[in-house]
Amino acid sequence: MATMDETAELIRRNWMSVKTQVREAAESVGRNFDSVRVIGVSKYVDAATTQLLCDAGCTDLGESRPQVLWDKAEQIQSCGTSGVPPRWHMIGHVQTNKLRRMLRYDPLIHSVDSERLLRAIDDEGNRQSRVIDVLLEVNISGDQSKTGMSRETLKQVLNIEGITGARIIGLMAMAGWGTEASEAADQFQSVASLRDELAKSSGLPLKELSMGMSGDFREAIAAGATMVRIGSALFEGVV
Ligand SMILES: *Cc1c(COP(=O)(O)O)cnc(C)c1O
């Protein structure tokens, strides 16, 4: 078992290395490092280890389960000595009965996968007199085991009128299981074109593209990802 200090050092090094690789991936396609937000997916580790990641400087944290997000958000008040609180990202399926409690921690919800969930977020935003930013999750691979909406459903959802408590700011996608990097590249390019198409038809900017994980963030950045969700690469040697 590594001590907490050793774990902290490992995580710090992994974080530096991931940042360097993201920077190189961005610059190799003529993009700025600043145009890609790295979200550290902390679902593999407990709150104490998640705290170490945030202390290392990774202040955007992603969780795939609402209960875990709120438990950790209760425990992790700020990152390092900066006093800066982490920014939470919900990247997994959200049941509507978990929504209100989770929203206390103001996460960016990447994984809006149904009209029903969007309407529930809208209701909650209206109830709290605020506008909640969300991304719509697209099932680009057509893989039935993957979550996310089809193109047709996305179009319908973007056409719903009178949504005032939620603001759709972009799309989220995952490559299909066992996809080769070259195939993932094609899938990410399709997400980017779909975004362009939907932005045009809906009149919404849809600026954000959340795509790319430890194994395929380079392809996602080349296709225009503005957020990459990286988990395992940050916890190499730790879990
Ligand atoms: C777990 C997870 C990630 C991180 O994947 P890694 O391969 O560990 O980097 C990204 N996005 C979603 C939706 C996840 O569930």
Side-chain angles (χ1 to χ4, degrees):
M1 271 301 283
T3 65
M4 218 52 184
D5 279 353
E6 286 163 351
T7 304
E9 183 52 30
L10 258 175
I11 288 178
R12 193 159 39 236
R13 268 192 253 150
N14 288 345
W15 169 240
M16 297 300 279
S17 159
V18 163
K19 271 203 302 187
T20 303
Q21 292 174 61
V22 167
R23 180 185 298 279
E24 284 168 3
E27 288 174 354
S28 78
V29 293
R31 296 183 58 191
N32 269 327
F33 175 58
D34 292 347
S35 71
V36 185
R37 194 195 283 218
V38 182
I39 296 161
V41 176
S42 49
K43 66 183 182 192
Y44 304 108
V45 298
D46 61 12
T49 312
T50 303
Q51 177 74 59
L52 297 176
L53 179 63
C54 123
D55 291 344
C58 179
T59 55
D60 283 283
L61 299 173
E63 284 292 335
S64 56
R65 294 173 56 213
Q67 306 92 300
V68 179
L69 186 146
W70 72 57
D71 282 345
K72 286 187 178 178
E74 283 290 334
Q75 294 176 66
I76 302 172
Q77 305 292 332
S78 64
C79 298
T81 51
S82 64
V84 177
R87 176 78 212 268
W88 293 97
H89 297 260
M90 175 39 59
I91 61 172
H93 179 65
V94 180
Q95 292 159 283
T96 50
N97 63 353
K98 302 278 164 61
L99 197 56
R100 187 169 296 173
R101 173 136 186 218
M102 187 182 76
L103 284 172
R104 285 193 211 156
Y105 307 99
D106 202 20
L108 175 62
I109 306 174
H110 292 227
S111 42
V112 173
D113 54 5
S114 68
E115 175 174 339
R116 180 160 177 267
L117 179 58
L118 180 67
R119 289 194 185 274
I121 296 169
D122 179 42
D123 287 346
E124 209 43 43
N126 288 329
R127 203 184 65 91
Q128 298 180 23
S129 304
R130 63 181 182 121
V131 182
I132 298 164
D133 285 342
V134 301
L135 307 180
L136 299 182
E137 183 177 349
V138 49
N139 182 338
I140 201 71
S141 64
D143 187 336
Q144 287 303 314
S145 67
K146 286 272 162 176
T147 48
M149 295 181 275
S150 67
R151 291 162 186 268
E152 291 65 39
T153 309
L154 275 177
K155 283 182 191 148
Q156 284 166 20
V157 166
L158 280 160
N159 267 329
I160 301 173
E161 308 225 338
I163 299 281
T164 49
R167 176 170 42 218
I168 302 164
I169 61 169
L171 302 181
M172 184 268 227
M174 265 188 275
W177 291 122
T179 306
E180 299 285 324
S182 63
E183 230 182 300
D186 290 344
Q187 293 179 6
F188 294 144
Q189 293 291 349
S190 327
V191 178
S193 333
L194 178 61
R195 185 273 305 275
D196 294 347
E197 195 188 309
L198 294 173
K200 213 164 166 195
S201 60
S202 69
L204 295 171
L206 305 179
K207 231 174 91 278
E208 306 293 344
L209 281 180
S210 166
M211 53 191 195
M213 321 201 299
S214 295
D216 55 19
F217 66 85
R218 291 175 188 80
E219 288 76 17
I221 289 169
T226 60
M227 299 182 189
V228 291
R229 307 178 310 268
I230 298 189
S232 36
L234 290 170
F235 297 107
E236 255 169 44
V238 177
V239 289

